[in-house]
Each structure stands twice: as C-alpha cells, then as structure tokens.
Amino acid sequence: MPRKVIHLFLLTIATVFSLSQVGAAPAKGKPNKFNYKEASKVQPLNQAPEQPLSLWYNQPATHWEEALPIGNGRLGAMVYGGVSKEIIQLNEDSIWAGPPIPEVKENVMSTIDEVRQLLFDGKYVAAQEKQQSVMVGRISPRSYQTMGELRFDFGAIEQVSDYRRELNLDTAIATTEYTMNGVHYVREVSSSPVDDVIAIKIAADKRGAISFNASVGREGMFTTKAKGNDTVIATGQASHGKKHLGVKFATVYKVVAQHGSTEAKDGLLTVKNADSVVIYIAAATDYNANDTTHPFTHDLAGKCDTTISAAQKKGYAKLKADAIESHQELFRRVDLQLGSPSSKTTLARLQSYKKGEVDPNFEALFFQYGRYLLIASSRAGTMPANLQGIWCKDLAAPWNSDYHININMQMNYWLAETTNLSECHLPFMDYIERLVPSGQKTAQDLYGCRGFFAAHASDVWHGVVPFGKAQYGQWVVGGAWSTQHFMEHYRFTEDKEFLKNRAYPILKEASLFFLDWLVEDPKTGKLVSGPSTSPENKFIVPGSKATSNITMGPAMDQQIIWDVFTNTLESAKILGVDDEFTRNVQTALNQLALPQVGSDGRLMEWTEEFKEKDPGHRHISHLYGLHPGRQYNIYNSPEMVTAARKSIDHRLSKGGGHTGWSRAWIINFWARFMDAEKAHENIGLLFKKSTYNNLFDKHPPFQIDGNFGAPAGMAEMLLQSHAGQIDLLPALPQAWADGSVRGLCARGGFEIDMAWRGGKLIAATVHSKQGNSCTIGYAGTTVELATEEGKSYDLFDLNSK
Ligand code: FUC
C-alpha cells in the first residue's frame, strides 16, 4: 500500500475503534433485509417534479440510505418506492430498550482529588488509569429501535414505465408513481402532525386495479394479530435478546379500500381489486418521559384505534390538506434562492457535483432538506432528534442512536433559531430539563457538588453518570453546553417568561455545579475544570511514548464554563437578580483560566503544548469559543481568531473533517472567520465525501448531525448576529454571486430578507419582532437602526450610507 493509503487506512481503523461504536451489520451470510432489488423492469419518466424543492429518482431505492424520510416529529418512515415490492420502514420516537442505567460508583470524590493531584504533577498515565478505575461500564447495545416494517407485495410485474419517486420538501409527502399495462399508479406516504398517523394512499386511474399483500414485521419481542378484515395490531417491547426490557408499544395498521375486498390475517393485510386504498398507521407507547420509572398503563392498541378512527372520519383529503398546512407554516418561513433548478435527478446531481460541477441550487436544496428534516424529527411536544433523527432501521443502532451531548445533539439544533424553526428547538430543551433531577443527584453522589451536570451522552432514561472509557466519558460539561441553547433561544425570541422560568433556572444549576467543581491550578492560581478530556482527543505524554486524554483545564471545558457563567450573569442582569450567587459567579469568572495561544500560534487545546496523537482529529473542541460559543469573534478578539484559524488549518492539513458532522462544524468555523471560499469548499467536501444518495449525512454510518450542522453553517455564511451586530452576507462565496433569502433570523428578535447580484447586496429588509435597536454591518460599514415592534425596514440603500 502506498504510504498515504496506509495512513488513511490506519486513520479509519483508529477512528472506528476509538469510537466504541456498536455496529449493526447483518449476521454473516444473512442477506441484508434492508437492501432492495427491483424485480420489474423500470422505465423512468425522467422528468423533474414541478416543485423544485424535491428529491427525486428514476429508480427505487436499493438500500436504506437511498430511501426517503418522512416524519411528523414522532412517527417517521423511510420509503423505498419499490414497484413489485415496497418497503416502508417505520419509527416512533420513544421506542428504546431499557434499564439498567449506568450507576454511580462509590468513593469517587476521594479518587477525583487524587487524580487532580496526579495531573497537576504531570503524571498523566497514572491519572488516567486511576480515573478509569472509578468509571462505570458502557451498556451496549441498549438502543433506540425500529418500530418495524410494512412490506408490500404487488405480485409479479414485468415492466413499468413513467416511473418516478420523489420527496416533496414543501408538502412533506413521498410519492411513487408509474404506469403499468396502461394504468397509472400513484402512492403517497406522509406523516401527519395534526392527526398523528402515517397515511399511505394508493391510487390508480382505472377502477379495481389495486391488489396487494402487505405484511407487518419486526425482529425482537414482537407479535401481530388481525382484527376484523382490515386491521393488523402489532405489539412489542424494545429489548436486546429479551434483556434490557424497555418501552412497550402498539402499532395499528388499518386498510380502508374503495370497492374491492380486504382481508386481515396474522400480520398480513390483503387487498383485491380496489379502486383506491388508504392505510392508516398509528402508534402508542408506554414511555413516560416525565417519570421514566412509571410507564403509562393505558391500552396502547386502544389508543391507536381512537387515533385511527378520528383520522378515518376526517378522511384522507382533509387529513392531507391539514398536514400540508401545518408543515408549510414552518417550512415556508425561509426561502433561499441560489443558482438555477436542474432537470437532473437528485442522484445525477450528487454524482455531477462529486465530479466538480458547480451547482449552488443543489446546495440550497440541501439547506432546505436540513430544515425539512428538523421539522420531521423534532416538533413541539415530541422527543428531540437523536443521532439518527427518528429514522433508525436497527435494533442495535450505531452508538445506540442515543443523545450524544458532546457535540452531536447540540449540532442537531444549530439551525433551529437562525432558520426560523424556533418551535422545533423546544424538544431539545425539554429533554435537557428532564436531565436536571438526575444531574443534581449525580453531582451530589459522585462529586459532592451542588447544581446539575451531564456527561457526554444520555438517552431516554436520563442517566448522566460519566461512563465507558475515560477518553470520552470523563467529561462533565455536556449539560452545561446544552444550557447555551436556552440562552440562545431567548436571544432570538426575547421571550422574557422563558428566560425567567426556564433559561435562568437551568443556567443557575449549571453555574452552581462549577462553583463547586472548579479548583485552583497551583501553578497559575486560576480556576480549572477536571479531571476532564478534550472530546475525544489524545495527546502524547511528554517524555514518553504513552498517550493520555485527561488533564486539568482543557480549553473546551474552560470555554463552556465561561459561556455558562456569562450567560448566567447576563440573564440575571436582565431579570434584575443581584445576589450572593451572582456575585460568586462573577468572582469565579474573574478567576477562570482561559485558553492560551501556543508557541506555534495555534489556540491550545490543553494547558500544555502536548503533541497530539491524532492531529487530524474530528473533534475541534478547543474552538468552541468561536463556534458555537461567542467568546471570540473577529471584532473583539482578532488575535484569538487568528490562533483558532491556525488550529483549524493544522487540523485540516492532517486529514481533519473526515466525519460528516466534523465537516459540518468546519463550515461553521469558516463562516465565523468570514472566509466565504473556505466555507464553500467545505460544503463541497461534505457532498463529495460524506453524503449518501438520499442526501443523509454520512459519519459513516448515517448520522443526522451533519444534515443540520451544514445548513446552520450556510445560514452563518448569509447572516450572523452573535458578535453584537447583525452582519449581512458575511461570507458570500463566488459560487453564490446571485441570490436571495427570506426569513433568516437574527438575535434581538429580527427577521431578515436579502437579495444580491454579482456578490453585492441589492436589497435588505429587516422585520422587527420586538422593537429593539440594532447595528447592521455590511462590507465594512455599519448603520444603527431603531425599530418599532412589528415594523419592517428597507435597507436597500445600505451601501451608500
Ligand atoms: C461522538 C463522535 C463520534 C460519533 C459519536 C456518536 O462521540 O466522536 O464520531 O459521532 O459521537
């Protein structure tokens, strides 16, 4: 193997092993039931759908990562668009395998003191060994799971013509259509946020032309039974080989056929010679998010029946219209126009893009796909989007498809406020609040600290104990990082009630923890966090070949704590709180160690200039203060921004950005550096290296964070507001020379519309939602704008001011 290839190979191996991933590869020799081979000959329509915001294809999906996702926040499905057969893989957002939950080991605090001393003495290996000895094990698999599949068999079909499958992002409907023997068939699949069902409509333009068998299946603890001649009831419980008994669920599938006949038997629904068919799918579980130890006891199948009866009574046409209206209320808030629409299929566009074709319109489609996916996986009242949103075909998913809060889950929500989906942000914050009680208890039991904390990952059972390997597990700022979202939600909405009742209380809890957790570094007298890691990077211990992860005061911890303290003080000020607690926070903030710049000009990841074991590491944690934090920006700390830039140059020169989410983060960094071309180059690399055919983000395997992180970066390229002013088009690349955007949001309660030609702004309108004043910057000039609530301000002549 050439050296470069060997290096990449080793890097890949190292990545795979260091990630402690639980793979979900099918057993050897067993065909992968999520691959699909179309038996009929398919002649495509090869015509783009009318709605340019669509993903569309000339062939059915051949594997899961080509299927098309739909969802109402809670119920999701992946639609293959097969002809002779069809697979619709289904999810519900609370189906998780269950306890045990990692528990606290006793006497950890004395060990922590010992480990701190070892670290201050530079005995990194001994410190890591000691720390590892008090870590509890990772429980895996104990995964988020699929709800099952509905598999259609339409019989032997030799050939079809005019085939097309598409996902219309504007209506949230996946449609498959084709013509067979002169009959045109149209199949629509959608998930209604209004009626809480998945609806599958099959129509034909000739009477009596629809016949099929549809079977309901799933592995694991699962049974099906028929009810009447049109319904299958499936019940199950998430588990792993009958261990980790978790959430119980019921799914009801009801077929409603116009004319023809229906039959239900075991797990099979049969329809013969119908004119049209609708299948309603409802699901219920016993998961009780607010008290996970007391699952609901209601009749799950009965609940589904009630839901389906209501949906059926409403009728498909109205159900569809209501679902579209609800979706569009969110989706249509932002419009982004770049380049020109294409007549090519999504697959052909992706392939051409990979070969170097410039296609900004495709980038805009990807941006809107990110917004679509957030609406589909995270709506007010649902569970938050996990590592796969809600789309998961496995029983033992990669990383359990859990809630990783050492970047992934936060990244899922980076686009929520800026791209006008503030309501979709709420499930994340609801979830983080549900971690607080266990975070408080664990802080006391484990460390004798007040307040709340959470480590690098959790799940629906709300455990926060640091678990697994110290290299990723010994990290106590996951909850703290998440509190940033509360403050940002306030900054965008200016909702004072939210600030008072939700943001300030959780920031206070996070601050309390750090007031007790931080210790003085004997060398500097500054307050440092630790033992902790810089997720999930490793350094070479000075004077040896050994590696270690844990130190005192890694840059990311210190920057997150800076963020928590400053957010706490800012919100206290707005709320008029000035007490002993806020004074203590201010004192600790004054004494907090902050990251330094190393002798090579890079922003330091640790307090010493360690040599990195993996200099191209995917986490770029020490740049938190630049993004998603707001500690360093080009106006207030150009020297830190320069150092951060050197750090990222170094990372990239050593192979950085090799996972989808890492690349997505990099786009955001370049946007904050206001380096348009670099930001755009990394969008390109994301498409080239880390995007599946259905435009799902590729870690690999599929992980949804990049689908959200990259559009968030694109929004940052067009509009920024974290640095005390609103910057218009701060990082507009040449490829986006002409375009327009409507509805992006800025902190302070503003919505902005812009148009530009030849790289220059030609129109800008500011809609003021709260009547605040703001400073608007464009191309080196600024204007002050005093506004009135509800009024819009046209800034088209900004350039001349
Ligand atoms: C973080 C990352 C991994 C992966 C996992 C789910 O720990 O380091 O790459 O994304 O989360």
Side-chain angles (χ1 to χ4, degrees), residues 750 766 768-774 785-789 791 793:
F750 300 102
V766 176
S768 172
K769 293 192 270 192
Q770 303 292 337
N772 284 327
S773 310
C774 58
L785 187 69
T787 75
E788 281 175 47
E789 187 182 325
K791 289 216 167 144
Y793 300 84

Side-chain angles (χ1 to χ4, degrees), residues 15 18-20 387 398-399 402 404 406-408 456 472 535-536 617-619 659 661 699 703 705:
T15 308
S18 69
L19 303 182
S20 62
L387 285 173
W399 288 282
D402 66 16
H404 253 66
N406 69 357
I407 179 135
N408 317 86
H456 83 291
Y472 56 81
E536 304 174 10
H617 199 265
R618 62 197 180 285
H619 286 266
T659 66
W661 65 258
H699 181 290
Q703 202 168 282
D705 35 23

